Amino acid sequence: MLSSDVKYIFSNISNNKKNVYKRIPTLNTMRQYVNITKRLGFNYEEGLGRGNQKAVTLKRIDGTIIGELKDMKYPNNSRESMKLVKDKIAAEKLLRLSGIYTTNSTVYNENDLSKAKEEFYSSKSDRLAVIKPINMSGGLGVNVRINENDFDYFWNDTVNIIKGTSNREVNLMVQDYIEGFEARAVVIEGKLISIVARIPAYVVGNGKNSIKNLVQIKNRKRQKCAHLRKRPIVLDEKKEKFLNYNDLNFKSIPNKGEFVLLSSLSNISNGGEMVDITDDVCDEIKSSAVKSIAAIPGLYSGGVDLIMKTFEDKEPRVIEINAWPMLQSTLYPTYGKQYAPQEYFLKSFYAVDQFKNSPKQIYDIENHNDYVRNLMIFQQMKNEIHKQQILNNLEKL
């Protein structure tokens, strides 16, 4: 993402209302599910999963069990689908076989720095790279828009983050940096819920204050919002490097109205913001998100990370799929409309169960046929995509 992309987003969104959340009961996804299941009046039982995480057993009125929300898994998502999306290379292949625009990655281990650097820049020395872990989520260890001079620094940064957060084998992906801005689409039970642009930390100049001062001012404003107050913008070495690459530093004074990006990492914990763009993007972008979930066998709910150049981009790139997306950007966007993905899941899950199994006692779910119809349409899409994958794979034999 470039500073010009941030300006584009704020100049073209239909809803630029900034949300200030005075209080948020909990940011834990499973605790939210417990609270919402109770509020909607569905029969359920609380439990614990791995790591003492909350779990919810979903029940019919007569007490029989329909399914579980446990260990960061939706009931309809198969274990195989979760393994597939964690294997980013396998997911890329499935997306390409499905005719979906995506990335083209190469995997290396931690000792392959020289090899990776030589292979990536051999064809073109001014290429920009993305370096990220092969099996981590939440933006951890992701570094983007890396030139040849800084490749070693960001490679080692990713390696150190992997080592510091797990005992797993250190494997990294290197791929081309794609121009445009990143957005997270949330698809629940085959239904697109929202698309939220993920904006890295930035400031807007006033012609008077330095970047450092503007960050201090912005952090004071973030303190007023329950969703942002524990996520201040921190001016660290990586942000300094990012600014230096754009011939800026912490003492630079941006012009009035000038957008200045401070980072390439677009998650809220790094000082970023979330802007709802669901009603602004074209149908092709929405379709790409839903088709991406449909392309993974056994996957019905998940998050899709997209890169687009504009809201009218007919060929957005899918860069990642997550089988258990964090829903905070959908529930608590910094700008724009709020959505209720967990409520949609619960109503859909119970409505579909009642349609399939006809229990004697049923819940009164408003527009229950819509949930069933949406899932049936999605399943049909899934079947058609899987046929296409088989045909495309056979052509390569």
Side-chain angles (χ1 to χ4, degrees):
M1 178 182 278
L2 303 174
S3 295
S4 57
D5 292 318
V6 185
K7 183 177 181 180
Y8 170 84
I9 291 169
F10 282 105
S11 299
N12 289 277
I13 52 175
S14 55
N15 185 350
N16 60 1
K17 172 183 172 285
K18 186 168 186 179
N19 302 310
V20 177
Y21 306 100
K22 297 295 184 183
R23 179 179 174 273
I24 294 176
T26 177
L27 286 173
N28 181 284
T29 300
M30 284 308 306
R31 289 184 182 277
Q32 290 168 350
Y33 265 114
V34 170
N35 295 340
I36 295 168
T37 306
K38 183 178 181 180
R39 174 171 61 79
L40 292 175
F42 293 127
N43 193 5
Y44 73 98
E45 183 178 331
E46 288 185 49
L48 292 175
R50 287 197 300 262
N52 287 326
Q53 285 288 322
K54 285 278 187 182
V56 186
T57 300
L58 304 172
K59 298 182 176 183
R60 301 184 183 96
I61 294 174
D62 64 8
T64 54
I65 296 173
I66 312 172
E68 279 188 314
L69 281 160
K70 184 179 180 181
D71 300 333
M72 296 193 295
K73 179 186 176 300
Y74 284 98
N76 285 339
N77 284 353
S78 68
R79 292 289 179 188
E80 290 73 20
S81 72
M82 296 175 69
K83 290 178 182 177
L84 272 172
V85 296
K86 285 181 179 178
D87 184 342
K88 294 180 173 62
I89 299 300
E92 275 187 8
K93 181 180 178 181
L94 281 170
L95 291 172
R96 282 196 293 271
L97 287 172
S98 309
I100 298 168
Y101 296 98
T102 186
T103 50
N104 190 14
S105 307
T106 304
V107 178
Y108 300 95
N109 65 47
E110 64 176 304
N111 300 314
D112 287 336
L113 192 159
S114 297
K115 178 184 176 184
K117 186 176 180 180
E118 181 180 350
E119 288 182 350
F120 188 81
Y121 295 105
S122 60
S123 61
K124 196 177 179 185
S125 62
D126 61 349
R127 287 174 77 183
L128 296 174
V130 174
I131 302 174
K132 61 184 180 181
I134 192 170
N135 51 8
M136 292 177 69
S137 60
L140 284 174
V142 178
N143 288 296
V144 309
R145 214 165 185 272
I146 303 162
N147 61 27
E148 188 172 8
N149 291 334
D150 291 332
F151 192 90
D152 293 28
Y153 172 85
F154 287 109
W155 174 281
N156 290 323
D157 178 74
T158 299
V159 168
N160 290 335
I161 287 173
I162 296 172
K163 288 182 174 180
T165 54
S166 72
N167 294 319
R168 67 189 80 181
E169 185 180 356
V170 178
N171 290 312
L172 301 86
M173 296 172 66
V174 178
Q175 57 193 211
D176 271 301
Y177 169 76
I178 302 168
E179 295 289 346
F181 54 91
E182 185 180 337
R184 161 61 65 89
V186 171
V187 177
I188 299 293
E189 297 297 283
K191 169 77 171 176
L192 177 70
I193 304 298
S194 73
I195 301 180
V196 175
R198 300 164 66 164
I199 301 178
Y202 72 94
V203 292
V204 182
N206 58 13
K208 300 176 182 178
N209 293 99
S210 68
I211 289 174
K212 181 179 180 179
N213 294 146
L214 290 169
V215 167
Q216 292 170 341
I217 293 169
K218 192 165 191 176
N219 279 338
R220 285 197 289 271
K221 291 180 179 178
R222 287 172 78 92
Q223 283 292 312
K224 298 178 181 179
C225 178
H227 195 221
L228 302 178
R229 66 169 60 111
K230 292 183 179 180
R231 300 170 174 88
I233 300 171
V234 178
L235 294 180
D236 52 19
E237 183 183 359
K238 290 175 72 173
K239 289 188 178 67
E240 187 173 26
K241 262 188 171 296
F242 184 86
L243 286 172
N244 292 164
Y245 182 74
N246 293 286
D247 298 322
L248 296 168
N249 57 58
F250 296 149
K251 295 180 180 179
S252 300
I253 299 175
N255 295 325
K256 186 176 181 179
E258 180 183 357
F259 286 84
V260 178
L261 273 181
L262 306 174
S263 171
S264 59
L265 190 58
S266 58
N267 60 16
I268 201 164
S269 61
N270 196 45
E273 296 179 358
M274 305 297 173
V275 181
D276 173 57
I277 58 173
T278 312
D279 295 335
D280 301 307
V281 299
C282 64
D283 290 340
E284 287 82 358
I285 292 172
K286 296 175 182 178
S287 177
S288 289
V290 179
K291 283 179 67 177
S292 297
I293 297 295
I296 308 298
L299 192 67
Y300 290 83
S301 298
V304 181
D305 291 342
L306 303 139
I307 293 284
M308 63 191 78
K309 293 179 180 177
T310 69
F311 293 160
E312 299 300 323
D313 194 338
K314 308 298 183 187
E315 298 178 353
R317 294 286 190 100
V318 175
I319 57 173
E320 195 168 313
I321 298 175
N322 192 313
W324 182 262
M326 296 297 104
L327 300 173
Q328 311 319 322
S329 60
T330 299
L331 292 163
Y332 304 111
T334 316
Y335 291 88
K337 193 187 299 184
Q338 295 175 261
Y339 296 86
Q342 290 143 321
E343 183 171 323
Y344 184 90
F345 167 78
L346 290 164
K347 288 181 177 179
S348 174
F349 191 69
Y350 278 99
V352 170
D353 172 69
Q354 292 180 168
F355 174 79
K356 286 181 177 179
N357 298 302
S358 302
K360 290 182 180 180
Q361 296 174 286
I362 63 172
Y363 295 103
D364 183 14
I365 301 172
E366 188 178 2
N367 301 321
H368 61 98
N369 286 334
D370 290 345
Y371 296 103
V372 177
R373 189 180 299 109
N374 287 336
L375 190 60
M376 290 176 69
I377 292 170
F378 179 73
Q379 185 62 62
Q380 184 178 358
M381 176 192 292
K382 213 168 179 61
N383 295 341
E384 291 171 354
I385 288 175
H386 291 171
K387 288 178 184 177
Q388 182 181 349
Q389 289 172 348
I390 293 169
L391 289 172
N392 288 342
N393 215 11
L394 285 172
E395 289 177 2
K396 294 182 177 184
L397 296 178

